[in-house]
């Protein structure tokens, strides 16, 4: 009976660890060692402004991104379109808009400098994105002078990352995290290690106070 209970516990722990480890996991294209209070920004992106950010995916399953922006002194922002293009195939793989409704989330108004200003974007999963090069283009399409936004930028961390604003290259990277839908092996191992540690600790305490 004890052996059956142990086997059941092990199977249950593995299943829970596997379920917990599969999900959407972010990876930054910028240097995360730089504090949020040290970020710069692009300045106001008017209707005729075009920002392009080239990046290389480190994993398969690209399914979205988060981007950090600011309204500056404006109460609302206009409408900006974004497009992600597969460089190798020269094809657009995802498109959408960033507008005032995109900022209506808890993180955008968070008291934490790290979370404040974050906008989440989702699109259908690209299963074969690993090691592929993409270009994200953001352009104002319906933006008044009082509705501009600015995108935060900081030091690069990823090889192949290139940022341009209105055709001029900037030796920085946008504060963007790419979201991947995948099985996270590291999380799976850490989860099981914690379970094993807790089991060992409980057994030790039981023997100690028995």
């Amino acid at each position: 009976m004890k052996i059956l209970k142990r086997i059941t516990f092990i199977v249950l722990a593995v299943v829970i660890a596997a379920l917990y480890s599969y999900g959407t996991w972010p990876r930054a294209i910028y240097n995360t060692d730089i504090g949020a209070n040290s970020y710069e920004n692009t300045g106001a992106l008017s209707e005729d402004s075009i920002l392009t950010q080239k990046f290389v995916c480190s994993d398969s399953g690209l399914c979205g991104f988060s981007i950090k922006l600011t309204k500056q002194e404006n109460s609302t922002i206009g409408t900006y379109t974004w497009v992600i293009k597969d460089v190798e195939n020269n094809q657009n793989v995802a498109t959408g808009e960033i507008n005032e409704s995109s900022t209506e989330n808890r993180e955008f108004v968070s008291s934490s400098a790290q979370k404040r200003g974050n906008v989440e974007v989702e699109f259908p999963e690209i299963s074969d994105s690993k090691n592929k090069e993409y270009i994200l283009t953001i352009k104002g399409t319906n933006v008044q002078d009082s509705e501009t936004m600015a995108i935060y930028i900081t030091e690069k961390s990823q090889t192949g990352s290139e940022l341009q604003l209105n055709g001029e290259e900037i030796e920085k990277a946008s504060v963007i995290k790419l979201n991947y839908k995948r099985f996270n092996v590291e999380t799976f191992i850490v989860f099981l290690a914690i379970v094993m540690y807790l089991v060992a600790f409980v057994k030790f305490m039981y023997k100690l106070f028995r």
Side-chain angles (χ1 to χ4, degrees):
M1 187 63 110
K2 286 185 178 180
I3 295 176
L4 180 60
K5 286 183 179 179
R6 287 178 182 177
I7 293 174
T8 302
F9 176 80
I10 292 171
V11 170
L12 186 62
V14 170
V15 170
I16 293 174
L19 291 173
Y20 180 76
S21 302
Y22 182 80
T24 302
W25 302 94
R27 289 191 184 273
I29 67 168
Y30 60 92
N31 188 342
T32 54
D33 293 331
I34 307 296
N37 291 324
S38 299
Y39 293 165
E40 304 170 51
N41 69 61
T42 58
L45 299 177
S46 59
E47 184 158 336
D48 58 351
S49 296
I50 299 177
L51 179 143
T52 61
Q53 175 68 69
K54 184 182 289 186
F55 58 88
V56 177
C57 285
S58 58
D59 283 303
S60 299
L62 179 66
C63 62
F65 63 88
S66 66
I67 185 168
K68 190 176 182 69
L69 57 87
T70 174
K71 297 180 181 180
Q72 298 181 301
E73 301 300 320
N74 303 324
S75 57
T76 61
I77 62 171
T79 300
Y80 294 81
T81 58
W82 61 264
V83 176
I84 294 180
K85 182 176 73 173
D86 184 324
V87 174
E88 182 181 359
N89 299 326
N90 196 31
Q91 291 183 341
N92 295 338
V93 294
T95 184
E97 291 184 347
I98 294 175
N99 50 38
E100 179 60 25
S101 64
S102 306
T103 68
E104 296 171 356
N105 63 74
R106 290 183 180 179
E107 285 201 352
F108 194 85
V109 294
S110 172
S111 59
S112 166
Q114 198 68 38
K115 295 180 179 180
R116 188 167 55 247
N118 284 345
V119 168
E120 292 284 342
V121 171
E122 297 180 353
F123 49 80
E125 180 183 349
I126 304 171
S127 59
D128 60 346
S129 60
K130 188 171 184 178
N131 296 327
K132 283 193 173 183
E133 191 175 57
Y134 296 92
I135 296 177
L136 168 67
T137 301
I138 298 176
K139 183 181 185 299
T141 52
N142 185 13
V143 182
Q144 304 298 320
D145 290 341
S146 60
E147 297 177 331
T148 58
M149 71 175 186
I151 293 174
Y152 283 102
I153 57 177
T154 188
E155 302 300 321
K156 298 180 182 182
S157 72
Q158 188 189 66
T159 304
S161 172
E162 293 180 12
L163 175 65
Q164 289 188 359
L165 180 58
N166 297 325
E168 293 187 17
E169 188 167 345
I170 304 173
E171 285 300 315
K172 301 284 184 179
S174 307
V175 180
I176 290 175
K177 289 183 178 180
L178 304 174
N179 294 329
Y180 300 96
K181 189 170 288 185
R182 65 188 182 90
F183 181 77
N184 193 319
V185 177
E186 297 91 343
T187 301
F188 180 74
I189 294 172
V190 170
F191 187 95
L192 288 181
I194 292 173
V195 171
M196 291 172 63
Y197 171 80
L198 290 174
V199 170
F201 178 75
V202 169
K203 283 186 175 182
F204 172 77
M205 295 299 292
Y206 176 76
K207 290 180 179 179
L208 186 65
F209 293 104
R210 185 174 57 179

